[in-house]
Amino acid sequence: MELHHPVFQLKDLSHLWHSTIGIEKESLRLKQDGSLSEYPHSTEWGKRTQQPYIQTDFADSQLELITPPVYSAKEARKWLSATHQLVQDTITTQHDDELIWPFSSPGLLPDDVSSIKIAQLENENEYNYRAYLAEVYGKPVQLLCGIHYNFQINPALIEEKVADFNPNLSIKEVTNDLYLTLGRNYLRYRWLLTYFLGAAPYIADNYSTELYGSPKEKAMRSFRQSQYGYNNDEDVSISYASLEAFVSDVEKAVANGQLLLEKELYRDVRFRGQDRYRDLINNGIKYIEFRNFDLNPFDPYGITETDTDFIKLFILTMLFLPQVEKDEEVELGNIMNHVIASNEAHAALPYLAEGEKLVDAMLLVARALDEQQLMNGYFENLVTDKRQQLYHPELTIAGKLVTIIEKEAQAMNKPAENHFLAFGLNLARQHKETYLERDYNLHGFENYEISTQNVLKHAIKAGIKIEEIDPTENLLKFTYNGHSELVKNANMTSLDTQISYFVMENKVATKKVLAQNGIRVPAGNSFTSFEEAARYFPLINFEQFVVKPKNTNYGLGISIFKTFPSRENYEEALQIAFAEDNTVLLEAFMPGTELRFYVQNNNVEAICERQAAQVKGDGHSTVSELIDVVNSNPLRGDNHRSPLVNIGKGRLEQLQLTSQNLTLDSIPEEGQVVYLRENSNISTGGIAIDRTDEVHDDYKRIAIQSAQFLGANFCGVDLIIKDYTQPIVEEADYGVIEANFNPAMMIHLFPGVGQARPLGKAALKQLFPEAPLD
């Protein structure tokens, strides 16, 4: 086929590839035996009227997981993996016995299909509409699930091209024409996608439709795409010759009672962007929705990243094919699609010659994209992999499914269609394990530090919209019902002032402000040069002291001496501290237990004791080997993307070992505790022990007052306390050693010992009191 388009050229493909996509994925919630879940749609997922990510479709047990508009398959998969994880986590926590069914076609229906529960929606009109659909089409039809693929042509490119195309036409007119042409071409040739991606070869024995009865066949490529799937009555005839004709025909179908509402029109192409089709003429089509995709049961999220790209490549190819203009050609595409869907999955492709031409056209587009995007043959490989399937139907998704299911069924001496349910449940259990692995991460968002991931989890569940402003800086924008907030690093928000950040970042300033307000802080000095600090060594009048940078986070550059050090070790500590800042503090060491108080909005939300990085000897392993064993814990990692941080083997660790007369090559005795850091920061390999319910209120009061004096809404206050279970009797019972403007939620979210505290939810509740976060 010759590739040509009146508006675009092949050189525009890079800009066209920058068009946005969005995925809507439907799935059934099931019990372990495969029957439909009887539990309601969880209130954990917020209000459906305000939830952009986790929705219900027809039945209350039918999930709809939605991605925002994104530019790449990788981004779409990121969102799908996150929503699947959160949904499975909720239903596992609440019920433990629920699975997410991986097929488009149900494997088991109740004997009395009227018992299928329609979605319990707040909007009465929406509920009544679903009740109407159940009566006209049958509840089993409405349980069919699939992927809806949304596509918006890069609007900037359209605007750029309009003047070249026809300066007498408006952007709206050109856009509407582009989408209508794309829709016609897609409807004519979508049968090829059904051949490659159809994946519903079996269906429940008692499945039937009100319009077309029960299937005669026991297996086909796609029951969902066949006449037994989403289909209006045959009398509903809609023209695609022009947008005006399309709108007129839909309105006539509603007026004469063939359709209750415009959205009842079940076609594989929908023009979107307005509430009413008539408004598309006046205000323009915003994007197009393609609805003909079965769930790929082999993939945990229903569609692979490569197939998401392949579909986008197919759509772009449709733009460059000769224009389909007549409704007869569109109808031919509908017939061909039903033939492909109804064929047995191992049947030879009946339209091989046209299939080869379509794939050849896709190859031209793929090679041009590879060249423009410097993709080293990625797009071409997508197409050549599918080309093999033209001649080998057993390599298609449906073909592979039938091969596997038939083989397993034969081994058990039973019909393949009877093994369908067991096969699907086994896949569902495998996918459940995928959804729940590494539950401390938010799947797909692992590039964010772990506290931010926790806030994101609660935002998605509550239906708070998320915009990634700068992932590398953990900077996000949250929006709920028109109210927006910027958040950095989980708890840096508009609720705090810039001056409070500056004061807490500067340890000298922090001490002065707190001391002036009657809060006890450690005595000490500050130095702005190594030489000045080194000369002070003979004047140090503390037996135990701390050397640390003025501005520090995560415990970087801190050295603690509990016995008076040699000048050499003191100067090394200075070098380590000056590497982090140009001002270094020398402070008296305060004996006692160090506790981190997490303060938010004049309340102590969490308290933990942090134990320094340490290993325990086994009598035969070196310190270095013991560190490796500790770091093999799957909860440990680097860059604050895991609950626990790996223990290092650097200068500070080796300096700490020296104070214990050890090296990395030493072999500690069995049971001997070896400390790798004196400071107890989790970010340097330590662990946290939750003490929230054990600490006396006197110290909570000191932490709250400290945050108030520093002008902080979110604040981490570090106290040294002689006995945190007893009240303050004298000033020496405590000391505030530090305050942090970005307190690490992580240490309270994932304590090594004790109860986790839901700080991500608490932060969002203060920012969005109107959101459903209880």
Side-chain angles (χ1 to χ4, degrees):
M1 296 182 181
E2 182 181 350
L3 299 187
H4 173 72
H5 194 276
V7 177
F8 305 123
Q9 300 175 40
L10 285 177
K11 68 178 183 179
D12 298 319
L13 280 170
S14 281
H15 295 290
L16 283 169
W17 189 255
H18 198 60
S19 298
T20 54
I21 61 172
I23 302 293
E24 301 169 26
K25 188 250 188 182
E26 303 157 335
S27 300
L28 296 175
R29 290 187 290 113
L30 304 182
K31 299 179 184 177
Q32 290 287 336
D33 65 358
S35 58
L36 292 174
S37 170
E38 296 174 354
Y39 296 113
H41 184 86
S42 177
T43 56
E44 280 279 313
W45 305 324
K47 298 178 181 178
R48 281 177 275 199
T49 53
Q50 296 288 336
Q51 174 54 272
Y53 307 117
I54 304 172
Q55 275 291 346
T56 356
D57 202 272
F58 168 77
D60 218 42
S61 58
Q62 190 175 35
L63 294 162
E64 185 175 17
L65 305 181
I66 305 165
T67 77
V70 295
Y71 290 103
S72 71
K74 183 177 182 179
E75 290 178 275
R77 192 169 183 82
K78 174 177 77 174
W79 282 95
L80 287 174
S81 60
T83 50
H84 278 81
Q85 176 196 13
L86 296 178
V87 165
Q88 186 69 69
D89 176 70
T90 298
I91 61 181
T92 299
T93 301
Q94 293 181 346
H95 317 305
D96 192 44
D97 61 341
E98 281 197 13
L99 299 168
I100 298 175
W101 180 242
F103 279 91
S104 283
S105 48
L108 181 66
L109 291 172
D111 292 336
D112 178 12
V113 296
S114 66
S115 67
I116 297 170
K117 191 175 183 180
I118 296 171
Q120 304 298 293
L121 304 176
E122 296 92 338
N123 187 317
E124 185 179 355
N125 291 334
E126 286 295 325
Y127 176 85
N128 291 336
Y129 173 62
R130 283 163 171 76
Y132 159 82
L133 295 177
E135 181 178 345
V136 173
Y137 299 94
K139 286 186 174 181
V141 176
Q142 303 304 314
L143 290 184
L144 292 172
C145 296
I147 295 277
H148 298 172
Y149 192 108
N150 299 314
F151 178 79
Q152 182 187 46
I153 302 173
N154 184 343
L157 181 62
I158 296 176
E159 187 173 354
E160 177 186 324
K161 291 289 182 177
V162 164
D164 297 335
F165 174 60
N166 189 337
N168 297 319
L169 295 178
S170 67
I171 292 177
K172 179 195 70 178
E173 290 170 317
V174 173
T175 301
N176 282 350
D177 185 64
L178 285 172
Y179 280 118
L180 199 71
T181 301
L182 174 58
R184 287 195 300 264
N185 280 18
Y186 187 91
L187 288 169
R188 170 63 180 83
Y189 297 115
R190 75 190 185 283
W191 61 264
L192 184 64
L193 292 176
T194 300
Y195 175 78
F196 287 139
L197 304 177
Y202 304 104
I203 203 161
D205 290 339
N206 58 335
Y207 178 88
S208 65
T209 77
E210 291 295 322
L211 294 180
Y212 299 103
S214 302
K216 308 296 188 295
E217 304 85 349
K218 292 186 176 181
M220 60 176 66
R221 183 169 296 280
S222 173
F223 275 97
R224 179 177 174 275
Q225 280 289 293
S226 74
Q227 65 171 323
Y228 304 110
Y230 282 99
N231 292 286
N232 299 117
D233 190 283
E234 293 177 347
D235 292 339
V236 178
S237 178
I238 305 295
S239 173
Y240 286 83
S242 68
L243 185 57
E244 288 75 11
F246 171 83
V247 171
S248 177
D249 281 352
V250 173
E251 290 176 342
K252 287 178 185 177
V254 173
N256 62 27
Q258 291 177 301
L259 303 175
L260 179 66
L261 300 171
E262 290 183 353
K263 65 181 179 180
E264 189 190 340
L265 179 67
Y266 288 146
R267 294 291 189 271
D268 287 340
V269 167
R270 274 188 177 172
F271 305 112
R272 305 302 297 265
Q274 308 296 333
D275 291 334
R276 296 172 60 252
Y277 283 135
R278 173 65 56 183
D279 293 333
L280 295 175
I281 298 174
N282 300 325
N283 301 320
I285 300 169
K286 301 303 180 187
Y287 66 98
I288 191 167
E289 179 185 13
F290 304 111
R291 302 165 56 85
N292 57 302
F293 301 105
D294 292 343
L295 304 181
N296 179 349
F298 293 119
D299 188 271
Y301 313 113
I303 185 169
T304 67
E305 199 171 313
T306 52
D307 280 343
T308 305
D309 277 339
F310 181 81
I311 293 167
K312 192 173 185 179
L313 189 66
F314 180 88
I315 293 168
L316 295 190
T317 303
M318 293 300 101
L319 286 171
F320 287 93
L321 293 184
Q323 292 189 21
V324 170
E325 296 181 348
K326 298 180 179 179
D327 286 329
E328 290 79 7
E329 293 181 84
V330 173
E331 181 56 29
L332 175 61
N334 294 335
I335 293 170
M336 295 172 77
N337 193 58
H338 272 165
V339 169
I340 293 294
S342 301
N343 277 358
E344 198 274 325
H346 286 167
L349 177 61
Y351 312 121
L352 180 59
E354 186 169 87
E356 289 175 326
K357 290 179 180 179
L358 286 170
V359 169
D360 287 342
M362 290 189 70
L363 272 174
L364 292 176
V365 174
R367 287 167 181 156
L369 261 177
D370 278 328
E371 182 179 352
Q372 293 175 26
Q373 298 267 294
L374 304 177
M375 292 297 289
N376 296 317
Y378 170 75
F379 294 110
E380 182 174 357
N381 289 336
L382 288 181
V383 181
T384 54
D385 285 348
K386 289 288 191 286
R387 175 181 275 282
Q388 295 301 310
Q389 298 175 25
L390 292 176
Y391 315 106
H392 298 282
E394 69 278 7
L395 298 179
T396 63
I397 299 174
K400 290 177 180 178
L401 284 167
V402 169
T403 297
I404 296 171
I405 293 174
E406 283 185 348
K407 183 177 180 180
E408 292 182 3
Q410 287 173 5
M412 292 181 285
N413 197 28
K414 67 179 185 180
E417 60 270 18
N418 291 352
H419 182 54
F420 168 50
L421 177 63
F423 179 80
L425 288 173
N426 185 49
L427 280 179
R429 293 185 185 102
Q430 293 176 33
H431 295 340
K432 178 180 178 179
E433 292 182 8
T434 299
Y435 304 147
L436 295 181
E437 67 184 6
R438 303 184 329 277
D439 61 347
Y440 54 83
N441 283 132
L442 175 60
H443 295 183
F445 290 82
E446 292 90 345
N447 58 316
Y448 288 92
E449 56 89 24
I450 203 161
S451 299
T452 301
Q453 291 181 48
N454 187 262
V455 174
L456 283 164
K457 283 183 181 181
H458 291 293
I460 292 172
K461 277 189 176 183
I464 298 172
K465 289 185 179 179
I466 297 160
E467 182 181 348
E468 298 178 82
I469 302 296
D470 188 345
T472 62
E473 293 291 332
N474 293 286
L475 181 59
L476 298 155
K477 181 180 179 181
F478 295 101
T479 302
Y480 187 81
N481 201 23
H483 169 200
S484 295
E485 295 282 351
L486 290 171
V487 177
K488 177 176 166 55
N489 293 339
N491 50 26
M492 296 175 68
T493 74
S494 61
L495 298 174
D496 280 306
T497 64
Q498 188 177 33
I499 195 64
S500 68
Y501 291 157
F502 287 150
V503 173
M504 283 185 282
E505 186 179 38
N506 185 321
K507 304 309 177 189
V508 174
T510 299
K511 287 174 60 179
K512 285 184 177 180
V513 170
L514 294 180
Q516 288 169 358
N517 286 279
I519 302 294
R520 183 172 182 251
V521 296
N525 294 81
S526 62
F527 308 98
T528 57
S529 73
F530 174 84
E531 292 75 17
E532 178 188 9
R535 286 194 297 269
Y536 192 79
F537 182 73
L539 303 177
I540 298 174
N541 58 356
F542 311 123
E543 283 298 318
Q544 299 176 324
F545 61 89
V546 180
V547 175
K548 63 182 180 182
K550 179 181 71 173
N551 300 322
T552 185
N553 276 315
Y554 307 119
L556 298 175
I558 297 175
S559 299
I560 299 175
F561 295 105
K562 290 188 177 179
T563 59
F564 201 85
S566 66
R567 178 183 285 272
E568 180 183 9
N569 286 348
Y570 170 69
E571 290 184 356
E572 184 173 4
L574 291 176
Q575 289 173 348
I576 291 170
F578 274 112
E580 301 296 332
D581 198 357
N582 55 15
T583 300
V584 166
L585 309 184
L586 185 151
E587 294 180 343
F589 176 77
M590 289 183 166
T593 303
E594 181 182 343
L595 298 180
R596 161 62 63 86
F597 290 68
Y598 185 98
V599 181
Q600 177 187 330
N601 193 26
N602 298 320
N603 287 297
V604 173
E605 298 287 345
I607 306 170
C608 73
E609 175 187 348
R610 295 173 293 176
Q611 291 188 349
Q614 58 190 265
V615 294
K616 185 177 289 187
D618 59 11
H620 59 82
S621 301
T622 67
V623 172
S624 181
E625 290 168 341
L626 292 169
I627 292 173
D628 292 339
V629 171
V630 170
N631 287 345
S632 67
N633 183 337
L635 297 182
R636 286 192 181 268
D638 291 316
N639 301 319
H640 314 291
R641 267 60 174 179
S642 301
L644 300 174
V645 177
N646 285 328
I647 298 175
K649 300 179 184 180
R651 292 171 64 194
L652 278 173
E653 287 80 11
Q654 293 180 52
L655 184 61
Q656 182 61 29
L657 287 172
T658 300
S659 70
Q660 301 166 81
N661 297 316
L662 297 170
T663 69
L664 288 171
D665 296 324
S666 299
I667 299 176
E669 296 177 4
E670 184 172 359
Q672 179 183 353
V673 175
V674 177
Y675 291 96
L676 281 305
R677 285 290 187 111
E678 188 64 53
N679 66 297
S680 56
N681 295 70
I682 306 304
S683 53
T684 55
I687 64 169
I689 302 172
D690 180 67
R691 302 293 189 195
T692 308
D693 299 326
E694 303 171 40
V695 175
H696 194 277
D697 287 345
D698 280 1
Y699 305 105
K700 296 178 182 179
R701 175 175 51 80
I702 292 296
I704 292 170
Q705 288 177 343
S706 297
Q708 291 173 338
F709 294 141
L710 295 167
N713 181 81
F714 292 100
C715 184
V717 183
D718 294 340
L719 276 78
I720 295 289
I721 304 172
K722 285 184 178 180
D723 185 346
Y724 55 77
T725 65
Q726 299 299 313
I728 297 175
V729 176
E730 57 183 6
E731 188 181 47
D733 286 343
Y734 83 93
V736 174
I737 58 171
E738 196 169 294
N740 297 271
F741 62 81
N742 182 212
M745 287 183 181
M746 175 180 69
I747 62 179
H748 307 286
L749 296 169
F750 304 99
V753 179
Q755 181 180 339
R757 304 292 169 171
L759 300 184
K761 180 185 285 190
L764 285 171
K765 284 179 72 172
Q766 188 182 357
L767 287 167
F768 297 96
E770 69 275 26
L773 286 154
D774 293 324

